Amino acid sequence: KAGVTQTPRYLIKTRGQQVTLSCSPISGHRSVSWYQQTPGQGLQFLFEYFSETQRNKGNFPGRFSGRQFSNSRSEMNVSTLELGDSALYLCASSFTTNEKLFFGSGTQLSVL
Amino acid sequence: DQQVKQNSPSLSVQEGRISILNCDYTNSMFDYFLWYKKYPAEGPTFLISISSIKDKNEDGRFTVFLNKSAKHLSLHIVPSQPGDSAVYFCAAFGVPFPGKSTFGDGTTLTVKP
C-alpha cells in the first residue's frame, strides 16, 4: 500500500508569490490534515479536510487555504508569500475509524 | 496558550536502558494521544497511540501511559537502542479523529552506544 505522497519535495519562491502544494493520501483514507513545521517548533495545525469539506481549521491567516477533491487528494495554497512562511509543510491522512495518522515526507518551502 | 507541552527539549540515555519521555496537556476534551518519531527532513512516523478511556497501551518496546487526572502522558522505550535517536512528538486529538490536533514541541532523544 503506497504511503502519503507530497509533491513537490522542495520549492523555492520569492516574497509576494503564491504556491500550491499537493498531497495524495493513503488509498481509502478520507481525512487529510495539513501542518506547518518551522525550525525548533512542533507541528502547527493548519486545517483538516474530510469528504471535500474543511472540517477543522487552525490559527493561520486567510492567505493559507486548501481544498480536497473527490478522490481525497488535497491541495494547499499560500498566497502573498512572506519570509516567515519558509517551513516544512506536512500532510497526513487517516481513516476516521482507526485512530492513526500517517504523514508524508513533506514539502520544504523556502521563501527568499 | 500551548495546550500540549513537552518540557524536556532533550534526553540522553545509555543503550539498553529505559527512555522516558513526558508530555503534559491542558485540555481535558482530548480523546486520543499519539506519539511520533521524526528524523530531519522526513515526515513523522507513527509509534503508538492511546485512547482517553485507557491508561496504558503497549507495543513491543514502546509503552504509553496516560494519567488523566494529572493530564500527563509518558512514553517508555525499553530497551533503548541507538536507532531510537530522533525527535519525539506527542500529539492530542479530538473527535471525530483527527480533528483539530495539537502537537508538543518535541523531545530530542539521544541513545548512546
Side-chain angles (χ1 to χ4, degrees):
Chain A
K1 209 177 201 181
V4 179
T5 305
Q6 290 188 249
T7 56
R9 187 72 179 88
Y10 301 95
L11 207 48
I12 298 175
K13 291 285 186 179
T14 56
R15 277 183 301 173
Q17 286 187 309
Q18 69 132 23
V19 67
T20 299
L21 312 181
S22 180
C23 172
S24 293
I26 292 172
S27 177
H29 286 193
R30 293 168 64 191
S31 170
V32 173
S33 300
W34 288 90
Y35 299 84
Q36 180 196 66
Q37 186 184 24
T38 49
Q41 296 287 313
L43 279 67
Q44 304 296 316
F45 174 75
L46 280 155
F47 27 67
E48 183 222 350
Y49 284 86
F50 179 80
S51 293
E52 303 177 64
T53 301
Q54 187 181 87
R55 192 162 63 172
N56 287 284
K57 189 177 188 303
N59 300 321
F60 278 80
R63 300 186 297 107
F64 292 81
S65 63
R67 59 178 175 168
Q68 186 180 33
F69 302 94
S70 57
N71 61 358
S72 293
R73 189 178 73 85
S74 178
E75 288 182 347
M76 190 192 94
N77 185 276
V78 188
S79 63
T80 319
L81 283 166
E82 300 176 359
L83 294 178
D85 296 333
S86 295
L88 179 66
Y89 289 88
L90 292 157
C91 162
S93 74
S94 68
F95 277 121
T96 52
T97 55
N98 179 345
E99 292 73 33
K100 293 182 181 180
L101 189 67
F102 297 92
F103 283 85
S105 298
T107 294
Q108 185 67 54
L109 172 65
S110 297
V111 182
L112 306 177
Chain B
D1 175 35
Q2 191 167 8
Q3 296 190 66
V4 175
K5 282 189 177 181
Q6 294 176 254
N7 291 318
S8 297
S10 63
L11 175 69
S12 181
V13 299
Q14 208 65 36
E15 181 179 5
R17 308 295 290 267
I18 184 172
S19 295
I20 300 176
L21 296 94
N22 294 301
C23 182
D24 296 299
Y25 62 96
T26 56
N27 188 343
S28 58
M29 299 302 290
F30 290 131
D31 283 285
Y32 300 101
F33 301 90
L34 276 62
W35 283 93
Y36 284 87
K37 178 168 82 170
K38 188 179 185 300
Y39 297 112
E42 291 184 13
T45 302
F46 170 80
L47 280 173
I48 192 168
S49 64
I50 189 166
S51 163
S52 62
I53 62 173
K54 295 185 177 180
D55 54 19
K56 178 182 174 181
N57 189 26
E58 196 170 352
D59 185 1
R61 297 186 299 115
F62 302 93
T63 302
V64 56
F65 295 92
L66 176 62
N67 183 333
K68 288 183 288 294
S69 60
K71 294 189 178 66
H72 176 84
L73 64 155
S74 60
L75 174 68
H76 293 208
I77 306 174
V78 183
S80 301
Q81 300 172 354
D84 295 330
S85 297
V87 179
Y88 288 77
F89 292 97
C90 70
F93 299 81
V95 175
F97 185 88
K100 192 173 180 179
S101 52
T102 306
F103 279 70
D105 288 341
T107 296
T108 300
L109 173 66
T110 302
V111 180
K112 298 179 180 178

